[in-house]
């Protein structure tokens, strides 16, 4: 029997990417680094909403 991989589902991957984007947004807000070209919070929301659509 084959074990199901946690990340084989596209919905799981989108949720993981959304969490990573939010983590980057938190670190950027805390002042650890600065990437002004990307709004990580909005990008995280986009991937989060996409995970509900898929």
């Amino acid at each position: 029997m084959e074990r199901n991989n946690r990340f084989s589902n596209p919905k799981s991957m989108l949720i993981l990417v959304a969490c990573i984007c939010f983590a980057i947004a938190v670190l950027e807000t805390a002042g650890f680094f600065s990437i002004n070209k990307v709004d990580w919070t909005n990008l995280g929301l986009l991937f989060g909403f996409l995970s509900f659509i898929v």
Side-chain angles (χ1 to χ4, degrees):
M1 296 180 93
E2 186 177 327
R3 253 175 84 177
N4 286 338
N5 190 0
R6 179 180 304 181
F7 300 114
S8 64
N9 187 359
K11 188 173 188 174
S12 298
M13 286 300 294
L14 287 171
I15 291 173
L16 178 68
V17 171
C19 290
I20 290 171
C21 288
F22 283 128
I24 291 172
V26 168
L27 291 175
E28 189 175 19
T29 303
F32 286 106
F33 57 88
S34 178
I35 303 173
N36 295 329
K37 295 183 180 184
V38 178
D39 190 3
W40 292 101
T41 305
N42 288 340
L43 194 61
L45 286 172
L46 173 70
F47 284 118
F49 287 133
L50 283 175
S51 71
F52 286 111
I53 292 173
V54 170

